[in-house]
Amino acid sequence: QYGQTNPPTKPITALFKEGKYPEGEIQKYPVDERTAKDRFTSEEKKAIDAAHTEIYNEVRLAAEAHRETRQYMQKWIKPGMTMIQICEELENTARKLIDEKGLDAGLAFPTGCSRNHCAAHYTPNAGDPTVLEYDDVVKIDFGTHIKGRIIDCAFTLAYNPKYQKLLDAVKDATNTGIKEAGIDVRLCDIGAAIQEVMESYEVELDGKTYQVKSIRNLNGHSIAPYRIHAGKTVPIVKGGETTLMEENEFYAIETFGSTGRGVVHDDMDCSHYMKNFEVPYQPLRLQSSKTLLSMINKNFGTLAFCKRWLDRAGATKYQMALKDLCDKGIVEAYPPLCDIKGCYTAQYEHTLILRPTCKEVISRGDDY
């Protein structure tokens, strides 16, 4: 497609010489019942839309890099590969396609490849021997960005067909969340709609039937430049806040389904870290902490990173400095999030913009 190689190696910018990138899926807002106004045809809304063309185009570039990377990876990943192998292939491909340039273009956060009862925030650290098994359910969650405009998008792979119903439930729930999202929509209403769809599914595993549960302490979120979680949360169960979605906001709509308790807790070795967006300047006593912080600022800014990426950037013996930065609240640790052992979890996620005229699911592809 678009003259890309197989495997994909050409930067997206080289495929679209005129610098205009493919639009995502367009969904119309319902016509306002009180005023009978249609945003899609409103000249005023079209004018506001046109003023943001450059931003939309940047994020569409990030989305195209995400689509082409993941579509290649969906065919490439096979049981028997190590998780490190999988992450490195994905990250190397995405870096080429996004044409990585410091903090202007690159990966927005580490590749999540959480398996089975682990729902999120697992990526292998150096030396992790974990291998993908035929019976695993693995969530591949990765992000690309252009000038801090982030695409946060995820899918689930399962090789054993017995898990298909679990994947169907979560994909359906995510698409429901996307359909319900809109300007002036209450976040709690989206959560209620997601839960209703998610929990209408059952999956039979080895003779036992499980109702698929929404993982109630995981959620979608608003996104801002260089800030993956920008303050608003999109619940995936009923309840939650009555806050409204607003025009021109970016959201990651993600849902997680589980055959377990439907609640996650911190577990396993930590790999994900992120500089605290809010934290003011703090003096540091340890020279090693100062060195590490300046490396984090230069390479990642306020975007998430992992230990493998510190290794790649040339950091050595940084464990104590990293702990010091975490203890001072300058950097936050995000350990893997797990449901009960023995259960299975799945995830689907898309990024959308609530444009003045329409809703654009920027990361939509013909894969999901």
Side-chain angles (χ1 to χ4, degrees):
Q1 203 180 10
Y2 310 124
Q4 184 55 277
T5 56
N6 185 20
T9 53
K10 287 186 187 175
I12 303 303
T13 48
L15 304 180
F16 295 87
K17 299 284 195 297
E18 64 295 346
K20 196 168 177 295
Y21 304 102
E23 200 174 54
E25 179 198 17
I26 299 300
Q27 295 188 5
K28 288 188 183 179
Y29 299 120
V31 174
D32 189 320
E33 286 169 8
R34 292 162 308 155
T35 60
K37 282 190 175 162
D38 184 355
R39 285 176 166 273
F40 201 69
T41 53
S42 156
E43 292 306 322
E44 179 203 354
K45 296 300 179 192
K46 281 183 190 170
I48 304 171
D49 214 40
H52 291 84
T53 306
E54 199 177 322
I55 292 170
Y56 300 157
N57 198 45
E58 282 171 356
V59 77
R60 285 173 191 151
L61 163 54
E64 185 56 34
H66 195 288
R67 257 191 302 278
E68 294 192 20
T69 301
R70 75 187 193 228
Q71 290 178 359
Y72 161 64
M73 291 305 295
Q74 284 166 27
K75 297 187 186 86
W76 188 85
I77 298 171
K78 296 282 183 289
M81 293 175 172
T82 66
M83 302 321 278
I84 288 186
Q85 234 181 320
I86 291 167
C87 289
E88 287 184 346
E89 181 72 14
L90 188 152
E91 289 163 4
N92 290 339
T93 303
R95 285 188 173 109
K96 282 181 205 147
L97 301 194
I98 199 88
D99 200 9
E100 190 176 41
K101 278 188 196 73
L103 288 174
D104 280 341
L107 302 178
F109 53 86
T111 306
C113 54
S114 311
R115 295 155 53 251
N116 307 330
H117 72 289
C118 181
H121 295 175
Y122 163 81
T123 199
N125 290 323
D128 183 334
T130 307
V131 168
L132 181 65
E133 308 280 353
Y134 171 75
D135 257 331
D136 285 344
V137 177
V138 64
K139 282 72 58 189
I140 305 290
D141 187 350
F142 72 102
T144 49
H145 81 92
I146 295 286
K147 295 181 186 161
R149 298 279 170 192
I150 298 170
I151 290 292
D152 184 0
C153 181
F155 59 93
T156 299
L157 293 175
Y159 298 90
N160 189 329
K162 71 181 182 181
Y163 301 116
Q164 192 54 48
K165 266 281 186 271
L166 173 63
L167 273 59
D168 292 346
V170 182
K171 192 184 285 187
D172 193 358
T174 297
N175 285 330
T176 299
I178 291 166
K179 195 165 112 255
E180 294 294 322
I183 295 163
D184 294 336
V185 171
R186 298 190 312 170
L187 295 170
C188 58
D189 293 341
I190 300 173
I194 286 170
Q195 183 174 20
E196 189 179 341
V197 168
M198 181 83 80
E199 300 191 348
S200 68
Y201 281 81
E202 289 181 338
V203 53
E204 191 184 310
L205 299 175
D206 309 322
K208 197 171 171 209
T209 302
Y210 300 87
Q211 182 188 26
V212 180
K213 291 178 183 160
S214 279
I215 298 181
R216 62 174 181 264
N217 54 341
L218 290 176
N219 46 261
H221 45 93
S222 57
I223 305 176
Y226 296 103
R227 190 172 192 182
I228 186 73
H229 287 245
K232 288 188 182 178
T233 62
V234 185
I236 62 173
V237 291
K238 59 179 183 286
E241 30 183 322
T242 55
T243 314
L244 303 180
M245 290 182 148
E246 294 170 68
E247 186 171 290
N248 259 323
E249 284 182 325
F250 285 68
Y251 279 94
I253 303 288
E254 59 182 317
T255 76
F256 293 84
S258 173
T259 63
R261 285 174 53 222
V263 185
V264 289
H265 58 273
D266 294 353
D267 197 8
M268 311 199 304
D269 262 0
C270 191
S271 54
H272 283 53
Y273 297 86
M274 186 162 66
K275 198 175 145 196
N276 187 336
F277 199 88
E278 309 281 341
V279 88
Y281 170 76
Q282 270 187 303
L284 290 167
R285 292 205 354 254
L286 291 174
Q287 184 52 49
S288 60
S289 299
K290 288 179 191 170
T291 306
L292 183 62
L293 182 58
S294 101
M295 175 183 262
I296 291 167
N297 286 334
K298 177 174 175 267
N299 289 282
F300 315 114
T302 52
L303 295 170
F305 60 92
C306 61
K307 288 180 180 172
R308 277 186 301 107
W309 291 4
L310 290 176
D311 303 337
R312 183 174 180 267
T316 54
K317 297 186 178 154
Y318 52 76
Q319 296 287 12
M320 214 171 95
L322 186 57
K323 183 181 182 312
D324 184 42
L325 293 177
C326 289
D327 289 345
K328 290 191 167 59
I330 296 167
V331 168
E332 285 188 49
Y334 292 88
L337 298 167
C338 299
D339 200 334
I340 49 170
K341 279 200 169 68
C343 79
Y344 295 92
T345 61
Q347 172 199 19
Y348 279 91
E349 174 179 28
H350 274 299
T351 296
L352 54 84
I353 323 175
L354 299 179
R355 286 169 49 186
T357 53
C358 61
K359 180 167 47 180
E360 182 176 346
V361 190
I362 333 167
S363 53
R364 181 74 82 195
D366 50 18
D367 48 352
Y368 65 89

